[in-house]
Amino acid sequence: MKPIPLWVLPISLLLLFNPSNSADDVVKQTLLNFFKNLSNGNIPKDPKFFGWNSSSDPCSWQGINCDTQLSVKRVVLENLELSGILDTNSICSVSSLTVLSAQNNSIHGGIPSEILNCKRLTHLYLNNNQFSGNLPESLSRLNNLKRLFVFNNNFSGNLPDLPKISGLLSFLAQNNQLTGEIPQFNFENLVAFNVSFNNFSGPVPELGGRFGTNSLIGNSGLCGKLVEKLCPPPVSEKVSPKKRDVERVLMFLGYSLLALVFIMFFTFKIIFRKKTKGKEVEHKKKKAVMDSPINHSSETNDSKTPMSKSEYSMASSNESDMMSSSLVVLTNPAMKELKFEDLLRAPAELLGRGRYGCLYKVMFDDGINLAVKRIKDWTISPEDFQKRMRTIDQAKHPNVLPVVAFYCAKQEKLVVYEYQKNGSLFQILQGGESGKFYWDSRLSVASSIAEGLAFMHKELYEDGISHGNLKSSNILMNKNMDPCISEYGLMAVDSPAPSPVGHANKSMNQRRGRPDYPFKADIFNFGVILLELLTGKLAQNNGLNLANWVHSAVREEWTVEVFDKALVTEGASEERMVSLLQVALKCLNPSPESRPNLNQVVTMINTIKEEEEMPSIVSEP
């Protein structure tokens, strides 16, 4: 056996007691190889990338972010005129990598299938490059992937089976040359989706009402209801002559049977015509009584919906004197002569149906229009309802829409408001006009709603009357485009507001012992409205979907992603938007006890407004 040279021993000890340095060197060399291939061997002219060399720590390099354990988590190389290729063999050997962004460069080639080895990858941004070829099937095996941006490239071929990624939140692939059918994603989970201006064909999948035609335009081969193009019928198999003869015989028998059924039906109708004649006359009388505008509007807007018991009993009541006296007109001089029959006779238009009732627009000959809220399934006595309406009427604020009149019977409750022709906050955000809904307007709307709600909470706290159903569709814009809270107090709250992060609810006994709970529920719903103003997205499922998405983005430190792109394009202050987002998150606290009261919310929002206005004040001579 040969003796071991003396120089081997120090090296062995060095490797034995310094294994981490060896691992760090591997990661460092891997990143340098990746960058060399991505930049086509050319170091960017941007001086901020000084430091990408073998003699420094990768965590100090520009574009690299590490966690507290000095593991590389994010590689962000954007807007650097990089013109090489994506070396997934190198970058995916960095096992701790979660975010890879190389957007806004000139990278060419394809995405190698070895992207599969980036197993912890959650965000992949390759948009605005010159990539080509197919998207590899291995992308669908990145189970942690949440956002995939590949738009503005030259990708072609069919999409991989991306719906297999259960946690995918965003997929943007517009402006490519992709073909085939659009797979059925889980559109309930997606918050961003766009495949416009490709070469997709076939039926449009069910988008769950989350995305419109803008996410599909530029694909002439698509068909279906959403793109208003009929899909061709499936190609049928060739039928043999014998089979065709059998089908003809069966068709003939079917028509004969159908004719026999019609003959029996008309015979039955003639025999019993005399017996049913009296019932028909009675039905016509009831129909004449029922021919009131509110009921007629209800039928014409939803003819398949049977008339409810409350609709029938209200219209068919013969006690007209009682009905006239039951319509209580509050302090509104223009409406002091309003009668219940006036509401029934005037033309009416159904504006919408909700969980708690219907909303009608009632139009009078003198040009006055009213909005009538018809409430259902509210077990409150007429006496208590009348007392509640009068109490609400005593609390007046310019940002709360006053009640003009109300009607209350045992089975019928109506609340009348002045009609606001400028629509609601919901319609502004829904109508695609968010680009004209500027930051200062949104901040002003948030402040006005908070002030109105704070005033009502203060005035009605002792009576225990909260809003009960606060949402953006109940924020109406008056003639000056100032927000007004509508339908205040038309629904009592008897259960906790849903928690956005799975907070355990208290028992019913505990809830009943908390007189302030309904007001805390209003604060939660106001937080959802703030999220809608900030994100430009509309809440569904009681605001839980939007709240969950925002909480997820904030936890991952991708807060800027939640803001409406129209606000970002406008150049709104990111600092102010983050401040308002923090107010929203406080309102959405899972624990009702930890939510701020409305006075505190007003103070926080007005502080942001003052900071927003400060530069213009300082700049004045």
Side-chain angles (χ1 to χ4, degrees), residues 385-438:
F385 182 78
Q386 184 169 149
K387 180 182 177 182
R388 188 182 185 92
M389 289 295 101
R390 291 189 181 278
T391 302
I392 293 172
D393 181 58
Q394 292 173 3
K396 297 185 184 298
H397 190 275
N399 294 117
V400 178
L401 194 65
V403 176
V404 171
F406 65 89
Y407 169 87
C408 183
K410 195 169 185 178
Q411 296 178 325
E412 195 71 41
K413 296 173 185 66
L414 305 177
V415 181
V416 183
Y417 299 93
E418 288 188 25
Y419 177 74
Q420 305 299 314
K421 64 180 182 179
N422 287 328
S424 67
L425 177 61
F426 179 92
Q427 291 169 325
I428 292 175
L429 294 171
Q430 182 190 45
E433 299 295 324
S434 61
K436 300 177 183 177
F437 192 24
Y438 300 115

Side-chain angles (χ1 to χ4, degrees), residues 23 39 73 168 179-180 194 233 252 277 287 301 325 437 482 566 587:
S39 63
K73 302 293 289 184
L168 191 64
T179 57
N194 196 326
F252 175 76
K277 189 174 182 180
K287 186 177 180 182
N301 282 276
S325 61
F437 192 24
D482 294 324
C587 295

Side-chain angles (χ1 to χ4, degrees), residues 37 44 54 140-141 226 233 367 425 512 560 588 591:
N37 286 308
S54 58
S140 63
R141 296 168 64 186
L226 191 60
L425 177 61
R512 288 173 178 166
V560 179
L588 295 168
S591 170

Side-chain angles (χ1 to χ4, degrees), residues 456-603:
M456 299 300 282
H457 278 198
K458 178 183 177 182
E459 294 295 311
L460 302 176
Y461 182 83
E462 295 298 327
D463 300 286
I465 302 177
S466 65
H467 188 287
N469 190 29
L470 187 67
K471 52 187 177 181
S472 54
S473 58
N474 285 336
I475 306 299
L476 305 183
M477 313 306 288
N478 65 15
K479 61 183 178 181
N480 298 321
M481 290 304 289
D482 294 324
C484 289
I485 302 170
S486 178
E487 300 186 15
Y488 191 96
L490 298 194
M491 188 51 56
V493 177
D494 58 359
S495 59
S499 163
V501 290
H503 180 73
N505 292 327
K506 292 182 177 293
S507 68
M508 183 64 73
N509 290 334
Q510 287 175 303
R511 277 183 247 142
R512 288 173 178 166
R514 288 285 312 283
D516 65 332
Y517 187 81
F519 301 96
K520 293 295 186 180
D522 277 357
I523 294 169
F524 178 92
N525 292 331
F526 177 71
V528 173
I529 291 175
L530 290 182
L531 292 189
E532 291 181 318
L533 288 168
L534 285 165
T535 66
K537 301 180 184 298
L538 296 172
Q540 297 176 356
N541 187 26
N542 296 324
L544 282 177
N545 60 334
L546 184 58
N548 279 331
W549 173 61
V550 172
H551 274 87
S552 174
V554 172
R555 279 197 305 269
E556 295 175 14
E557 299 179 5
W558 288 87
T559 304
V560 179
E561 284 192 17
V562 307
F563 297 130
D564 191 347
K565 287 183 174 57
L567 295 178
V568 177
T569 303
E570 174 197 340
S573 168
E574 182 180 322
E575 181 182 354
R576 309 284 186 268
M577 290 192 290
V578 170
S579 296
L580 189 60
L581 179 61
Q582 290 171 347
V583 177
L585 296 179
K586 289 178 181 178
C587 295
L588 295 168
N589 194 299
S591 170
E593 296 87 348
S594 301
R595 295 171 197 161
N597 60 45
L598 259 301
N599 287 329
Q600 294 170 323
V601 172
V602 168
T603 300

Side-chain angles (χ1 to χ4, degrees), residues 299-363:
E299 290 174 356
T300 54
N301 282 276
D302 194 357
S303 59
K304 296 183 180 179
T305 304
M307 191 176 301
S308 69
K309 185 176 180 182
S310 62
E311 290 172 333
Y312 192 90
S313 62
M314 179 191 72
S316 61
S317 174
N318 293 321
E319 299 176 306
S320 58
D321 292 337
M322 182 197 73
M323 291 192 301
S324 298
S325 61
S326 296
L327 183 70
V328 179
V329 179
L330 299 171
T331 53
N332 190 315
M335 292 289 143
K336 65 179 181 178
E337 301 299 328
L338 183 67
K339 303 291 184 184
F340 183 72
E341 292 92 331
D342 298 335
L343 294 178
L344 294 180
R345 295 192 186 106
E349 174 188 350
L350 179 64
L351 297 178
R353 295 179 183 270
R355 189 170 60 175
Y356 302 122
C358 303
L359 184 67
Y360 300 90
K361 176 184 177 182
V362 180
M363 297 156 279

Side-chain angles (χ1 to χ4, degrees), residues 52-154:
W52 275 69
N53 55 64
S54 58
S55 61
S56 59
D57 181 9
C59 293
S60 67
W61 298 350
Q62 293 294 329
I64 299 291
N65 293 103
C66 300
D67 59 17
T68 54
Q69 298 177 349
L70 301 181
S71 297
V72 175
K73 302 293 289 184
R74 297 175 181 150
V75 176
V76 180
L77 303 172
E78 302 172 351
N79 303 296
L80 296 171
E81 301 180 3
L82 301 174
S83 59
I85 61 172
L86 186 69
D87 179 10
T88 52
N89 274 327
S90 295
I91 195 63
C92 289
S93 64
V94 182
S95 59
S96 57
L97 184 69
T98 60
V99 176
L100 175 58
S101 177
Q103 59 185 343
N104 302 322
N105 286 293
S106 300
I107 305 166
H108 62 277
I111 301 178
S113 59
E114 289 79 11
I115 191 71
L116 170 65
N117 296 323
C118 289
K119 297 186 181 299
R120 296 188 183 181
L121 201 63
T122 59
H123 298 68
L124 181 58
Y125 301 114
L126 302 177
N127 48 287
N128 296 304
N129 278 288
Q130 297 176 14
F131 284 103
S132 59
N134 293 0
L135 291 172
E137 189 63 36
S138 54
L139 277 174
S140 63
R141 296 168 64 186
L142 293 177
N143 297 325
N144 293 311
L145 196 62
K146 294 184 178 180
R147 291 179 174 82
L148 176 59
F149 290 5
V150 294
F151 58 90
N152 293 340
N153 279 292
N154 296 307

